[in-house]
Every structure is written in C-alpha cells, then in structure tokens.
Amino acid sequence: MSAVLDHHGHAHDDHHDHHAPTGWRRWVLATNHKDIGTLYMLFSLTMLMVGGVLALLIRAELFQPGLQVVNPELFNQLTTMHGLIMVFGAIMPGFVGFANWMIPLQIGASDMAFARMNNFSFWLLIPAALLLVGSFFMPGGAPAAGWTLYAPLTLQMGPSMDAGIFAMHIMGASSIMGSINIIVTILNMRAPGMTLMKMPMFVWTWLITAYLLIAVMPVLAGAITMTLTDRHFGTSFFNPAGGGDPVMYQHIFWFFGHPEVYIMILPAFGIISQIVPAFARKRLFGYASMVYATSSIAILSFVVWAHHMFTTGMPVTGQLFFMYSTMLIAVPTAVKIFNWIATMWRGSMTFETPMLFSVGFIFVFTMGGFTGLICAMAPIDIQIQDTYYVVAHFHYVLVAGSLYAMFAGFYYWCPKWTGVMYNETRGKIHFWWSLIAFNVTFFPMHFLGLAGMPRRYADYPMQFADFNAIASVGAFAFGLAQVYFIFFIVIPAMMGKGEKAAQKPWDGAEGLEWEVASPAPFHTFENPPKLNAAANRVVG
C-alpha cells in the first residue's frame, strides 16, 4: 500500500501531541494503543530476561555430570518455571505488544476498539507475573510438575501450585480480553476501501490468532480448574485412586497446547511476511494463498493434539489419525516458506538487520519444522518421546521462530516507534551472535535425544558430557547476546540516541504505518485515510 497522504494526514495529527498525559499517569492509566504496546513489549523483555536466567541455571547444572549448582527438586522447579514464564510471560505478551502498536497503524484506525479494556488486559499481567516468580519463595518452592502441569504431579505439589494456577487464570483472562479487542478493531475499524483481502499479512495473522486464543484459553482454564478441585475439593478428575484418569488431563491440556503453539508462531509469520517483501522490493508472492494457509494451520491445529501422547497407550487407529493429521499441517506451513522464498527470488534484496533476522528465521524455523515432522511418525516418536530431541525441536520453533521474528519486527518498526535509527553494525552483531550461539546451544541436543538422554533430569551419565558442555557454553553466549541487545540497541533507541529516522526508512516498505511521521505521533488517523479500492493507495 504505497501512498500519498491527504490533508487529514500526519501533519494534522501533530497538533494533538498536547493531549498526551504526562508522568506516571501516562503509563498507569494508558489508553493509547502505542503506549500500551510499549508496556507489553517492556514486560515481555523483562520476562524474557527472568526466564533466561532460569534457563542459564539449568544449563549451568547440566554443564558436566554430577550435581554442581542446584539439587534435583530445584532443577525441576527451574524447568517448569522457565517454560511457563517464557510462553505466558515473554512470547505471548510480546506479540500482543506488536499487535497493539501496529494493527491500528496498519489498518488506518485511530486506536484499538476498547481502549480501557486494553489497559486492564495489560495490567492483569503484572500480578500474574509476580505470582509466578514469587512462587519460588513459597513453602516447598515453585511448581515442579513441568510446564505442561501434568497430573498426578500437580496433585502432589505444595501451595505454589495454587499460585501458579491462579496466575495462569489471570493471564488467560488478559489474553481473551486482548483478543476480543483485536478482532473488533480489525473487523470494524479498517480505513474505508481496505477490504479483508487487502489487509497487511500481519493483521491477517493476528485476526486468526485472536480467534484461536478465544477458542483455547478457556480449555486450559478448565484443565487447571479441575486440577484445583482435585487438590482441594475432593473431586477425582485426574486422581486414579478416586476413579480419575491422569491421561484425560493430557488430552485436555494438549487440545489447548497445540493451537497455543500456533498462537505463538502465526504472528511471527505475519511479521516475516511484512519484512521479506520490503527488502526484496517486490510484492508478497501468493498473498491469497498465504491467507488461506494461515487459516488452514489454525483449523488443523485443533485435530493434531494427541501427537504429544503416542506413548500413553493410544490405540493404533488413534495413532494413525494423529500421525496423518500432523503430517498434513506441514503442507500449509510449506506453502508459506515457498511463498517467502518466491518473494525473494530475483528480488533486488538488501540485507539490513530486519532482513537478516527474517532470512535467519526462515532457515532455522524450517529446520525446526523438519525435526517436528519426524516427531509426527508414531514409531519414531515413541523412541524420542521426552528426550532432548524434543527440547531441541521446540526451541528451534519457538526461539528461532517466535523470538527471531520479534527481533526482526523490532528492527523493522523501531524507527517508526522511536524516531531514531538503530545502529546497523550493532544490529548485525546481535544477529550473527544470536544465530551462532543458538545453533551451538540447541543443535547438539538433537544428538543427545537420539542417544536417549531424557529431559528434565539434573544429572546424566558420562557419555552425554561433551554435547552438554557445548550446549551450556552456547546457552551462556546466547544469553549474553540478548544482554548486548538490551544495552546497546534497545536502551539507546528508547533514549532517542541515533540518527533521525525518515518517515519511511526502508525504500521497499509498503503500508499505512509509513504514512505517519517518525516517531509516530501520539494520535494518528483521527480522520481515517481514504483508500482507492483499485490501486490500494491513499487518495486526497
């Protein structure tokens, strides 16, 4: 959507900066989508660091055989809390931050549909995060049942388990409110002339993700509420002694958990679909097929959940169904990867940091996808179930997937948010450092898993020592790369240090967000831009 602004454009909006509240009120009472987006991202970055510290404690313990740093009980608490904090505290709020910042700008809306609900959905995250992190200091320590919170372990945990369940409920409520807001904003507040099939891909992926969230968060709420009643109110949903079934918990959890995996990757697909065309200087190849592929992934994600459960004594018919449906979901994902490569094909590409992270994403995410496809085969999965192979697979998808896409999005839109350009050399250092350290950390884990090393164990026999030492060194290098990112890229950008960004810093970029000044004024699109339906341009 390249555009020339009409007389209602950003020049008019600059006069409204004096409406911005100042001091603590601006942030505590924030109703502006840009401020709330910034809050979400700062929260996400904070939780990424907290979860990262827990991960480094895990890797420090696994650096060599024997028990060095933590005891097995604390080790299990660390693995559980690392997973919960990264999924619910870092990745999901990070993408909601991107949605808050970019969706109104990309569809020409003045703000999100429900501004006060938007504020509430963010501030719910703070007590939830405090409950999660604070559970370490409760009697018996933090929950140690694994991030999936499987029964019967959850029925035997101390009071921190209840705090964890409460925190998950609060975060779920936040997600549902945020999703309702996103759906209503996209469906009701697009600029005149912007049909659904002319929306940017990032907006499409978030529309579909929001529906997924509304569908599955109540399922998780049900599972953990049943756990709560088993713990305190005498029910026996998951307690075999009372006729309950622990495997039923797994079915309910993964009915939530597999769409959840796509909730964490679909917005990443949207960000990459914005960046690749910009730096290839071409339109996105196969836009309609991208939309249909995204929808197909969302629908299929509801019928693949039990591929996590091939070792639970499932009948062969069930194994076959979930094996085939899991392999089928690879097709729309492959369509996306093909389209990104076709977009780059014969484009006049340049490799600034956003494009580096995008190409890195495509490369490493594809590797993660292939290792997942191997897990789809029931006979192979039974061998590698609960080994480090699975740990390697989902980190390839979630770190090199979701996290890399967030980095790409940050570098791409940061000039619009802050009004200054990041330092390109530092950005490239961050990319190469992260890419190399990530692969040094997680690639050896495939071999550990194939050799039979189970996950969530604090100790291991001598034959696994070398690869674990390499992985631990890589993990500390990866953690340092993110500290570098915060101190040398994020903080200077937030303080406005750097050369002033142009209104459209990337010459191949398209979209309404590039039609407002850099930094984006506090109020934008008070009068919606009018788009020419044929050319998809703003007309005056």
Side-chain angles (χ1 to χ4, degrees):
M1 260 182 273
S2 61
V4 181
L5 262 195
D6 62 357
H7 59 285
H8 294 311
H10 62 263
H12 168 76
D13 294 329
D14 282 338
H15 297 308
H16 293 274
D17 279 352
H18 63 266
H19 289 325
T22 53
W24 62 268
R25 281 187 178 82
R26 172 172 179 181
W27 301 103
V28 174
L29 308 175
T31 51
N32 183 283
H33 72 98
K34 302 178 185 76
D35 284 354
I36 293 173
T38 304
L39 286 170
Y40 266 110
M41 286 189 194
L42 290 173
F43 174 82
S44 164
L45 198 57
T46 306
M47 297 310 281
L48 184 74
M49 290 298 113
V50 174
V53 167
L54 302 185
L56 293 184
L57 284 169
I58 293 167
R59 287 314 320 170
E61 175 54 59
L62 294 172
F63 181 64
Q64 60 190 85
L67 295 176
Q68 275 80 234
V69 184
V70 296
N71 60 32
E73 291 80 17
L74 181 54
F75 185 86
N76 283 343
Q77 293 170 31
L78 292 172
T79 52
T80 302
M81 297 307 293
H82 166 69
L84 289 175
I85 286 169
M86 287 302 202
V87 169
F88 296 102
I91 300 293
M92 288 171 69
F95 279 132
V96 177
F98 275 96
N100 266 293
W101 243 107
M102 298 317 302
I103 287 174
L105 283 179
Q106 290 193 322
I107 63 174
S110 57
D111 208 308
M112 297 294 279
F114 305 117
R116 284 193 174 82
M117 186 165 86
N118 207 10
N119 175 289
F120 187 44
S121 67
F122 170 74
W123 285 109
L124 279 177
L125 292 176
I126 305 298
L130 291 173
L131 270 173
L132 268 183
V133 177
S135 64
F136 276 107
F137 306 102
M138 294 179 184
W147 80 274
T148 50
L149 304 177
Y150 275 4
L153 282 173
T154 44
L155 309 181
Q156 301 156 8
M157 294 281 133
S160 64
M161 192 69 231
D162 303 319
I165 288 172
F166 190 35
M168 307 284 280
H169 272 301
I170 298 171
M171 286 176 160
S174 166
S175 291
I176 289 172
M177 283 194 280
S179 300
I180 291 168
N181 214 342
I182 286 165
I183 290 170
V184 175
T185 304
I186 294 172
L187 295 184
N188 286 357
M189 297 177 67
R190 298 191 307 282
M194 183 179 284
T195 59
L196 283 175
M197 292 306 279
K198 288 200 173 117
M199 296 194 308
M201 268 314 296
F202 179 68
V203 179
W204 256 116
T205 53
W206 246 116
L207 178 64
I208 292 164
T209 302
Y211 276 113
L212 276 179
L213 273 164
I214 288 173
V216 301
M217 289 313 286
V219 178
L220 175 68
I224 57 180
T225 304
M226 286 191 268
T227 303
L228 196 69
T229 59
D230 274 12
R231 284 169 57 79
H232 297 294
F233 300 107
T235 58
S236 294
F237 291 111
F238 310 130
N239 184 357
D245 183 5
V247 176
M248 180 172 79
Y249 175 87
Q250 297 189 28
H251 277 291
I252 301 168
F253 177 86
W254 285 115
F255 189 79
F256 147 81
H258 210 80
E260 166 67 15
V261 172
Y262 293 101
I263 285 163
M264 291 188 282
I265 202 66
L266 289 182
F269 290 165
I271 291 173
I272 302 303
S273 300
Q274 299 292 127
I275 296 172
V276 169
F279 291 93
R281 289 159 183 80
K282 284 172 62 184
R283 298 298 291 270
L284 179 67
F285 179 88
Y287 172 90
S289 65
M290 284 294 236
V291 173
Y292 297 134
T294 310
S295 311
S296 309
I297 289 171
I299 293 161
L300 286 169
S301 72
F302 284 100
V303 294
V304 298
W305 77 89
H307 66 212
H308 297 268
M309 301 170 54
F310 284 144
T311 55
T312 55
M314 192 186 302
V316 174
T317 318
Q319 289 187 353
L320 283 171
F321 171 82
F322 287 107
M323 190 162 88
Y324 292 143
S325 61
T326 305
M327 289 155 72
L328 188 63
I329 212 166
V331 176
T333 313
V335 167
K336 287 179 166 297
I337 290 165
F338 174 83
N339 284 9
W340 290 324
I341 294 169
T343 305
M344 292 189 272
W345 178 251
R346 303 189 78 171
S348 59
M349 286 201 290
T350 52
F351 291 95
E352 288 88 347
T353 311
M355 186 61 164
L356 282 177
F357 268 107
S358 299
V359 174
F361 166 94
I362 294 167
F363 169 63
V364 192
F365 176 79
T366 304
M367 288 170 63
F370 276 128
T371 55
L373 204 52
I374 290 164
C375 293
M377 316 288 175
I380 303 175
D381 184 76
I382 287 165
Q383 297 298 316
I384 54 180
Q385 172 87 11
D386 271 335
T387 68
Y388 265 78
Y389 185 91
V390 179
V391 177
H393 155 66
F394 72 65
H395 282 86
Y396 263 78
V397 174
L398 281 184
V399 181
S402 304
L403 191 63
Y404 276 22
M406 280 203 248
F407 287 147
F410 172 84
Y411 286 109
Y412 184 59
W413 284 309
C414 168
K416 183 58 60 188
W417 300 340
T418 62
V420 293
M421 290 299 291
Y422 62 89
N423 182 306
E424 188 64 55
T425 308
R426 289 178 182 176
K428 286 180 172 161
I429 290 170
H430 176 225
F431 168 72
W432 287 110
W433 188 352
S434 294
L435 186 76
I436 293 164
F438 169 81
N439 282 289
V440 170
T441 306
F442 293 104
F443 198 71
M445 290 186 192
H446 293 103
F447 302 110
L448 287 169
L450 290 168
M453 180 175 165
R455 62 181 178 172
R456 297 182 189 164
Y457 276 59
D459 193 8
Y460 52 85
M462 199 64 211
Q463 68 258 35
F464 299 135
D466 293 348
F467 275 163
N468 266 303
I470 292 168
S472 290
V473 170
F476 277 89
F478 187 76
L480 275 176
Q482 309 330 314
V483 174
Y484 175 86
F485 170 65
I486 288 174
F487 282 101
F488 291 93
I489 293 152
V490 176
I491 292 175
M494 288 178 67
M495 293 170 67
K497 291 181 177 172
E499 60 180 86
K500 188 156 172 29
Q503 179 175 311
K504 185 174 164 185
W506 319 114
D507 53 348
E510 291 194 343
L512 285 178
E513 70 262 41
W514 306 110
E515 306 302 333
V516 299
S518 297
F522 192 70
H523 294 290
T524 42
F525 299 125
E526 292 208 332
N527 299 293
K530 293 186 176 58
L531 288 104
N532 177 321
N536 218 9
R537 294 169 185 275
V538 180
V539 291

